[in-house]
Amino acid sequence: MDCECDCSDYSNGQANAILFNILSRGEATQNEMNYKRVPQSCHCEKRRNVCLKTPNETCQVASDVLVKTMHFMKSLPAFQQLPPKDQLSLLQNGWAPLFILGLAQDRVRFEVDDVPAPSMLERILLNNLNDQEQPTMAGVQTLKACLVKFWSLDLSPKEYAYLKGTVIFNPDVPGLKASLFIEGLQYEAQHALKEVLVPLHPEDKGRFARILLAASTLKTITPSLITELFFRPVIGQTDLLDLLIDMLFTR
């Protein structure tokens, strides 16, 4: 995906200034030229593609989190009572935020390295011109900031469970047949979350609001980032959603 470089205006201005100085003065000292030299590469966060530093270890941990996430969904009787199409819609909408909550609950940490951008010739030869968006440093930083928010809250297993319920049962997903029933399930999950906070944190009156605020950041992280970063090295060109559907509906 092409992104406008944040330093493009600066670079163009510098280039014009250098050209003007060369033409008007005729010559310049080496020090002056070094001082005004235009940067040869852009290190803008939006354009830095990254990959896992230890893919074998991290992908295994991520796979374990994903398996636990799917087991959690399948273990909910209310979820199993929904029409299959509604289950599929909720899965497609909610697997990524649920997975991120799983990463937070298991306190999964990971590091990334920069990936050199392939040349146009390499992309043509590898037939990758239409590949999905690659993970960027900016996207990874957003994911890590989200995890830090949940770690700072130090949620208990019950808090995580009820919060996951509010995420799974999202009545705003388009095309749901049982949207009213799902809305009721989300309300019950939110109420249960609020109730469990009373004995756990009796003095912290704003904890419920802070948890919901942290949960709102889950949607800032795209499923494609999660897929490409944690699972593409393992599944290759297989569609991850197809695998999740198999996991969900396999008894």
Side-chain angles (χ1 to χ4, degrees), residues 35-83:
Y35 178 76
K36 296 177 180 178
R37 183 174 294 131
V38 180
Q40 296 301 308
S41 60
C42 172
H43 296 286
C44 181
E45 291 287 82
K46 295 179 181 178
R47 304 187 64 161
R48 292 173 57 192
N49 289 341
V50 296
C51 63
L52 294 172
K53 182 173 290 187
T54 56
N56 290 339
E57 298 175 9
T58 306
C59 288
Q60 180 60 56
V61 174
S63 297
D64 292 341
V65 172
L66 187 63
V67 169
K68 286 190 286 186
T69 298
M70 298 306 300
H71 177 75
F72 179 81
M73 294 183 69
K74 293 177 64 174
S75 67
L76 297 174
F79 185 84
Q80 295 296 330
Q81 295 173 12
L82 296 173

Side-chain angles (χ1 to χ4, degrees), residues 11 24 47 57 110 178 196:
S11 298
S24 62
R47 304 187 64 161
E57 298 175 9
F110 61 93
V196 80

Side-chain angles (χ1 to χ4, degrees), residues 116-182:
S119 67
M120 182 60 70
L121 178 59
E122 289 174 322
R123 295 174 67 189
I124 292 174
L125 292 176
L126 296 175
N127 197 28
N128 285 334
L129 284 174
N130 295 320
D131 266 359
Q132 294 184 359
E133 178 183 354
Q134 296 299 306
T136 63
M137 181 61 75
V140 170
Q141 288 179 341
T142 300
L143 172 57
K144 287 191 172 186
C146 180
L147 294 176
V148 169
K149 284 181 181 292
F150 285 105
W151 292 339
S152 66
L153 289 168
D154 195 23
L155 302 182
S156 67
K158 284 186 176 181
E159 288 173 302
Y160 270 115
Y162 292 132
L163 180 58
K164 290 176 183 178
T166 70
V167 172
I168 293 173
F169 300 116
N170 182 1
D172 297 326
V173 174
L176 294 175
K177 294 184 177 180
S179 58
L180 290 178
F181 179 59
I182 292 171

Side-chain angles (χ1 to χ4, degrees), residues 6-26:
D6 291 341
C7 31
S8 58
D9 291 339
Y10 169 82
S11 298
N12 292 334
Q14 283 292 87
N16 292 335
I18 292 173
L19 180 59
F20 174 82
N21 287 334
I22 291 175
L23 293 177
S24 62
R25 296 195 327 182

